[in-house]
Amino acid sequence: MEKLLEVKDLHVSFQTYSGEVQAVRGVSFDVKKGETVAIVGESGCGKSVTAQTIIKLIPMPPGEIKQGSILFNEKEIVTKSKKEMFEIRGKEIGMIFQDPMTSLNPTMKVGNQIREGLIKHQRMSPRAATERAIELLKLVEIPQPEKRINQYPHEFSGGMRQRAMIAIALACNPKLLIADEPTTALDVTIQAQILKLMKNIQKKMGTSIILITHDLGVVADLCDRIVVMYAGKVVEQGTKREIFKNPQHPYTKGLLRSIPRLDQEKETSLIPIFGTPPDLISPPDGCGFCERCDDAMNICKLEDAELHQVSETHQSRCWLLHPMAQGVES
Amino acid sequence: MMKKGFKLSLLAVLGLVFVMGMVLIGCTDETADPVDDEPVEDQDNSTEDEPKDEPADNPPVEEKVFRASFASEPPSLDPGQATDTTSSTVLRGVFEGLTRVTPNGTELAGAESYEISDDYLTYTFTLRDHNWTNGDAVTAHDYEYAWKRVLNPEFAADYAYQLYYIKNAEAANTGEGSLDDVGVKALDDKTLEVTLENPTAYIMDLFAFTTYKPVNKKVVEANANWSNDAGELYVSNGPYKLDVWEHGNEVQLVKNEGYWDADTVQLDRIIYAVVEDEGTVLALYEDGELDWAGSPFSSLPTDALPVLKDQGLLTTQIRTGTYMYLFNVEKEPFNNKKIRQALSYAIHRQTIIDNVSQGEQIPAMGLVPANMELVKEPYFPDNNVEQAKQLFNEALAELGYASAEDLPPIVLSHNTSEGHQKIAQAVQEQWRQAFGIEVTLENAEWGVYLDQLDAGDFQIGRYGWIGDFNDPINFLEIFKEIGGNNKTNWHNEEYASLLDKSYSEGDVAVRTQLLKDAEAIFMDEMPVAPFYYYTFNYVYNPQIKDIFLDSLGNTDLKWAYVE
Amino acid sequence: MTRFLLRRLFFVLISLWVIISATFFLMKAVPGGPFSAEKKVPDEILKSLEAHYGLDKPLAVQYYDYLKSVVTWDLGPSFRYDAETVNQIINRTFKISLVLGLEALLLSIALGLFFGVMAALYHNKFQDYSSMVLAVIGMSVPSFILAVFLQYIFAIKFDIFPAGRFESPLHHVLPALSLAALPTAFIARLTRSNMLEVLQQDYIKTARAKGIKENAVMIKHAIRNAILPVVTYLGPLTAGILTGSFVVENIYGIPGLGTQFVQSITNRDYTVIMGTTVFYSIILVFMIFVVDMLYGVIDPRINITGDNAKGGNANEFQ
């Protein structure tokens, strides 16, 4: 399949009072057309920064793309001007944020918030834009869309707001939808509805999706491939099956152990990952995870591992996969 | 990277706000206008007003203009109702009475000649041929009507008592007598007979006073509100006529071409702006927007006086008025004469004038202002601390106090004002040094303070008296009886009888001696400590000449001209 | 909505009645009367004056008469100024104060928003620091000092503007500035902190993610939300401008309602005191009412009627 997005060796830093925070330290992954890729990791691992860098939404300064490239539709994003980005944001790439309660402008009618992008990008007449907004609300399964477009966000429930957000993001038929923790702030039942909705829409429209989450359970149903990030780096990536059935990185394994499963035996309790991620102002030379890793070796502290090709689609950044390592008894 | 967008957005927002502003201002102007449309009478003066807007601000070069300011709007431009200096300043310009106070003394004005009866009680005036601004002739009936109108109790004029010199006026005003019995009568159109209660030495000055001005009987009878605005109804007979009266903001007079002595009048226009703040008055003067800043039209900030004096710009002129401290003689220890004398003698007036009040005032060691020349010498030397101490100790002994510490607490009250306070502080310090007594200062807002004085709720209180007419009796009379303006509770039979004698005394020299004797008693009894005689301090445009300012604070612009 | 309006109107009337009564009795309690003067008017004349103005009647009757005159808005004659009734005085002076007040109001909103928005957009830069230094000065310098200072600098030293009075538009500049300084500073600070807060909000990110231009983001999304609290400040702002006008009008010799109000108190001009007080109260109460309404219009989340409207939050998707 054709690659829609290709991120190569992306480094993003933020200048702060206490020093340079290296939030993203050489991230590479790609997204093919029509594909859903999940970026998984805990808070502060750089997944949101990566996502926002793709449409250059991070504030610059203090943020800065140190190196690397982002190819979207074979065009370089990193070097694009602000003006050129206006043509990509909303039109080519849509984005959904975590908290639907705060992501909508409270003083603007929902319909207008949807129409804004349409009028700008599709040069639609206000009337056409209104019709399209109604269609979009229908698409995201909001009942009575004619009435709803004239309402304000506070008249919507949380789930409905996220639907409205999806409608805004999809307004101009973007090729790529970036969903940054779209369900985290929602009730569990609503989460499932939203995920189902996204899946349906993807089927209908063929949009590629980058789904950013800290919750592997959420991605299980929706995505094709999973990218696991830790401390600003990709530590493992592969197809859904590969990650769930054959995780190679101790961090991935830890994540999997920490989600509840239906087939779990009653006595076994969930096992959390102890410790905290490293400080990215002075990132460690070695593997960022080694302080928390039960299987850490001497080499892990000294030098970070390369990505090891586990299969054609599966890579993992762990010394344990090095030919010289002896493997772990699991 | 956001800057460009931001600038645009900012422009847009500001543009929006300003447009909004314009629209709003536009709206208010339109909506505010209808309020302006008062009843028809106002129409006349709106036409009068029109030329004023532009040309009056920038009068044509040939127009000779004098510009001064008042601290407040004239409370009334009806001569029968006016009681204040602001109103009378305007009224002196627009009305002509029987007499007018001129630089050469009081002269006949509206009257051409007069005769006095042998008992000095009946004055018969023959009026000059002259007209009201509406063309009517000024008649003796107008005078009779004007005075009786003021005395009518229903008219409720504050200054009705200014007419009490006229026979039966008081009785008529208090409702005990009839207006028909009042001693003013038009014998015919040109002849006015005035009968007085007592012979009155200064009656010719009084006839020039505002309350004695005539009004046009026909107009005033028909329109109770004739004096509310400039316009056709405002009929007068003076050197100037009322051209513009923008309430609260401005009064403008123009030369009255129909005035009997119009040839003398040189100014084309007089503009009085209403500006309360003293600093602003000075600023406007310095800006060239006023020709006069300071008394008697307005006043100057005390802080500015030394500076203006150093620059040689300040003019100082004595004023018939006395600043004083009243003693409440019913309160211990001020029931003792020597204590009163001691406190009065110990004040160093000249230091306080030089360093505190700074208005070039004249130390007062007598009640009657020095320019009235009742006596040539002060009754005691200023800052006579030695004698004061001696008197103080004698007083302590008489009152039965062992030392100054045993005296009851002493409070000096004044109305709230920085100037009064500074003076009181200086006096407080001088008394401390002279006698070792601690005096407490108290102040109250003007209205409250007057009530305190009236109620006798004070020990020592600041007071001031500005002369109403140029005669010592005006000052001596205050303390003749307890009550009214005499808040000291002091009464002296001999003093009162001397004044009584002076009322009916026709011989000027004898009368003067009677008044001198009375003042001597007063200054010995010392129910008040005179402090200083007021002065006028002002700066003015020296191109304006012959502005007549008498010591009572009466200004008359009849003879003024621009060089 | 009608019920709500009636309820609000009722409260407005109650508060006005309280203010009117309090002013009446306070005024009667304060020593000194309209006819006290250094030179005392003879008692008989005083009596006829009091009878003339109805001050000899029992207090209850005076109070009743007074309430009646307020209700019919026929406030009677001024005790001091013969030429005008209280109604005429208020009509005349308020027109002037209204113009000056509106100018100050608009000036403070425009300048306040300008400086506030600029400070927020150039957060921690020169523009921010200089705006905030100006704001601190504006908030800490009392208006009478500022008025005198401006008068000295711009009227006397440089002779750019007139030193006082209220004739041409040029005359309006200094008093409007003096009056606007404090609210400008307040609005600038308020706008800046709101703006900084709003710029951090997710919906700003959403708006940017839509690809709309930065100035559209600022105007449609940021500034509108940032000025909401400024609207609530309009009530106190009006009050501030009204009270500020007492001093500023006096300093610049402007014949407005503020000058009149202060003078009437010194003069114990009972009818004018009462008239102006009631008039001020009406303006203030009305402004607060308007601000409440306005807030409901600008911020749809605020439900001014207090009734929980149907179709509100409860609308959960099946």
Side-chain angles (χ1 to χ4, degrees), chain B residues 288-317:
Chain B
E289 287 168 49
L290 294 177
D291 295 312
W292 187 291
S295 39
F297 298 103
S298 51
S299 49
L300 289 172
T302 312
D303 311 343
L305 294 178
V307 183
L308 293 169
K309 202 173 111 191
D310 286 349
Q311 292 170 336
L313 298 171
L314 193 70
T315 309
T316 299
Q317 187 173 332

Side-chain angles (χ1 to χ4, degrees), chain C residues 190-208:
Chain C
L190 200 64
T191 309
R192 174 180 177 270
S193 61
N194 291 332
M195 201 58 193
L196 287 177
E197 200 188 306
V198 165
L199 287 176
Q200 299 302 314
Q201 294 291 320
D202 287 346
Y203 57 79
I204 296 298
K205 230 189 260 174
T206 307
R208 288 191 177 135

Side-chain angles (χ1 to χ4, degrees), chain A residues 5-7 27-31 37 39 50 54 210 227 237:
Chain A
L5 178 77
E6 196 173 358
V7 178
V27 165
S28 306
F29 68 95
D30 46 40
V31 179
V37 174
I39 302 180
T50 306
I54 293 171
I210 296 177
V227 175
Q237 60 173 307

Side-chain angles (χ1 to χ4, degrees), chain B residues 136-446:
Chain B
D136 297 350
V138 180
T139 68
H141 300 285
D142 291 328
Y143 279 94
E144 184 185 339
Y145 171 74
W147 296 4
K148 285 185 176 170
R149 184 178 74 118
V150 172
L151 288 170
N152 188 334
E154 280 169 31
F155 189 62
D158 297 26
Y159 258 19
Y161 68 85
Q162 299 285 1
L163 300 181
Y164 284 5
Y165 300 93
I166 296 164
K167 195 172 174 64
N168 295 328
E170 185 167 3
N173 186 232
T174 52
E176 285 156 20
S178 160
L179 279 174
D180 299 335
D181 300 333
V182 175
V184 54
K185 199 171 172 201
L187 300 178
D188 58 49
D189 274 0
K190 288 284 158 221
T191 316
L192 183 73
E193 186 188 83
V194 183
T195 316
L196 303 183
E197 198 77 52
N198 292 306
T200 310
Y202 45 90
I203 194 70
M204 290 307 273
D205 291 348
L206 280 174
F207 285 142
F209 193 74
T210 312
T211 322
Y212 286 87
K213 304 269 196 229
V215 294
N216 184 312
K217 185 179 176 187
K218 216 166 42 176
V219 174
V220 175
E221 258 181 343
N223 307 282
N225 295 329
W226 67 280
S227 64
N228 284 3
D229 284 293
E232 301 236 321
L233 283 180
Y234 197 89
V235 173
S236 64
N237 63 338
Y240 299 94
K241 53 186 181 185
L242 185 65
D243 185 37
V244 174
W245 188 7
E246 236 183 275
H247 291 288
N249 188 37
E250 199 167 78
V251 175
Q252 290 194 22
L253 312 184
V254 290
K255 182 178 175 180
N256 177 10
E257 297 294 346
Y259 178 56
W260 68 268
D261 195 14
D263 291 349
T264 309
V265 180
Q266 297 295 312
L267 289 179
D268 297 310
R269 187 177 287 276
I270 300 167
I271 303 175
Y272 295 113
V274 178
V275 182
E276 193 188 347
D277 187 83
E278 297 166 346
T280 305
V281 171
L282 186 58
L284 286 167
Y285 170 78
E286 287 177 347
D287 234 16
E289 287 168 49
L290 294 177
D291 295 312
W292 187 291
S295 39
F297 298 103
S298 51
S299 49
L300 289 172
T302 312
D303 311 343
L305 294 178
V307 183
L308 293 169
K309 202 173 111 191
D310 286 349
Q311 292 170 336
L313 298 171
L314 193 70
T315 309
T316 299
Q317 187 173 332
I318 187 165
R319 174 176 201 179
T320 307
T322 310
Y323 187 98
M324 56 186 111
Y325 281 153
L326 306 177
F327 295 113
N328 185 347
V329 301
E330 283 190 348
K331 294 254 162 118
E332 277 264 341
F334 304 105
N335 49 356
N336 184 291
K337 181 171 97 178
K338 284 177 180 162
I339 273 279
R340 303 196 294 261
Q341 287 174 336
L343 290 184
S344 178
Y345 290 178
I347 300 171
H348 194 176
R349 294 165 176 79
Q350 193 63 53
T351 346
I352 294 177
I353 291 164
D354 290 343
N355 301 303
V356 183
S357 62
Q358 297 184 324
E360 301 281 292
Q361 293 92 345
I362 294 144
M365 277 77 73
L367 174 66
V368 177
N371 61 320
M372 286 179 165
E373 293 193 346
L374 197 60
V375 287
K376 297 269 188 263
E377 292 299 315
Y379 286 90
F380 56 89
D382 188 19
N383 192 27
N384 190 0
V385 181
E386 284 317 307
Q387 202 188 341
K389 277 182 180 164
Q390 196 191 327
L391 286 163
F392 186 76
N393 290 331
E394 285 172 31
L396 284 184
E398 282 173 23
L399 289 163
Y401 294 116
S403 72
E405 278 93 67
D406 298 336
L407 280 173
I410 298 174
V411 179
L412 168 56
S413 318
H414 59 88
N415 55 304
T416 312
S417 133
E418 208 190 328
H420 298 325
Q421 182 168 13
K422 282 182 184 164
I423 292 174
Q425 283 166 347
V427 171
Q428 181 188 35
E429 181 57 27
Q430 289 176 354
W431 284 343
R432 188 201 335 267
Q433 284 181 4
F435 313 116
I437 53 170
E438 291 297 333
V439 175
T440 316
L441 300 186
E442 262 182 22
N443 70 84
E445 187 264 349
W446 184 228

Side-chain angles (χ1 to χ4, degrees), chain A residues 136-312:
Chain A
L136 281 161
L137 288 186
K138 267 186 202 150
L139 182 74
V140 296
E141 295 166 22
I142 290 179
Q144 294 178 282
E146 296 84 358
K147 183 184 144 204
R148 287 300 194 169
I149 55 163
N150 285 321
Q151 288 185 337
Y152 289 96
H154 72 274
E155 294 168 271
F156 281 50
S157 67
M160 300 249 289
R161 284 188 217 181
Q162 198 60 302
R163 285 166 195 272
M165 272 302 296
I166 294 173
I168 291 173
L170 293 176
C172 302
N173 293 317
K175 298 190 176 70
L176 177 64
L177 177 67
I178 302 173
D180 189 351
E181 308 248 11
T183 58
T184 311
L186 301 174
D187 292 344
V188 182
T189 48
I190 313 290
Q191 280 186 6
Q193 289 173 4
I194 295 291
L195 290 170
K196 200 174 139 212
L197 174 72
M198 287 175 65
K199 203 171 168 182
N200 289 343
I201 287 170
Q202 189 185 29
K203 263 189 207 152
K204 270 187 218 164
M205 301 176 63
T207 317
S208 302
I209 297 177
I210 296 177
L211 179 66
I212 291 159
T213 180
H214 62 274
D215 184 355
L216 266 176
V218 165
V219 305
D221 195 31
L222 189 62
C223 66
D224 302 309
R225 283 195 302 119
I226 296 172
V227 175
V228 183
M229 279 187 71
Y230 185 81
K233 288 184 173 183
V234 174
V235 293
E236 184 160 13
Q237 60 173 307
T239 61
K240 181 165 65 183
R241 189 176 184 79
E242 282 163 343
I243 297 295
F244 276 94
K245 295 295 176 192
N246 185 24
Q248 291 298 316
H249 198 280
Y251 177 64
T252 317
K253 289 175 189 168
L255 280 180
L256 286 168
R257 274 199 298 271
S258 66
I259 51 170
R261 295 156 67 129
L262 283 176
D263 56 353
Q264 204 170 304
E265 286 164 37
K266 271 183 192 166
E267 296 84 41
T268 50
S269 51
L270 295 176
I271 305 160
I273 306 172
F274 293 100
T276 52
D279 179 7
L280 292 180
I281 288 179
S282 47
D285 294 330
C287 171
F289 190 64
C290 66
E291 296 291 328
R292 304 165 78 185
C293 180
D294 296 335
D295 307 315
M297 302 175 292
N298 286 339
I299 183 73
C300 299
K301 288 201 172 85
L302 298 173
E303 200 179 321
D304 204 0
E306 295 296 313
L307 275 173
H308 290 270
Q309 211 69 35
V310 179
S311 75
E312 198 188 329

Side-chain angles (χ1 to χ4, degrees), chain B residues 5-6 14 28 36 75-76 81 156 161 228 247-250 276 280 287 445 451 463-464 466 468 484-485, chain C residues 32 38-40 42 44 49 80-83 92 95 102 106 114 121-122 151 155 159 165 215 250-251 255 268:
Chain B
F6 150 65
L14 283 183
T28 54
D36 216 359
S76 175
Q81 289 285 14
Y161 68 85
N228 284 3
H247 291 288
N249 188 37
E250 199 167 78
E276 193 188 347
T280 305
D287 234 16
E445 187 264 349
D451 261 25
Y463 198 61
I466 305 290
D468 296 311
N485 289 313
Chain C
E38 199 152 23
K39 294 184 181 172
K40 220 174 148 140
E44 311 82 51
L49 278 173
R80 181 165 171 88
Y81 298 105
D82 289 344
R92 159 172 69 76
K95 267 192 281 179
L102 276 179
L106 292 170
F114 176 84
L121 291 182
Y122 291 93
Q151 189 183 54
D159 206 9
R165 317 208 50 222
N215 50 0
N250 192 5
I251 289 175
R268 296 284 189 283

Side-chain angles (χ1 to χ4, degrees), chain A residues 102-103 105 113 116 121 154, chain C residues 202 206 210 221 225 300 313 315:
Chain A
T102 59
S103 307
N105 185 341
Q113 302 196 41
E116 238 182 337
H121 295 299
H154 72 274
Chain C
D202 287 346
T206 307
K210 278 182 216 171
H221 296 273
N225 283 290
N313 270 343
N315 235 341

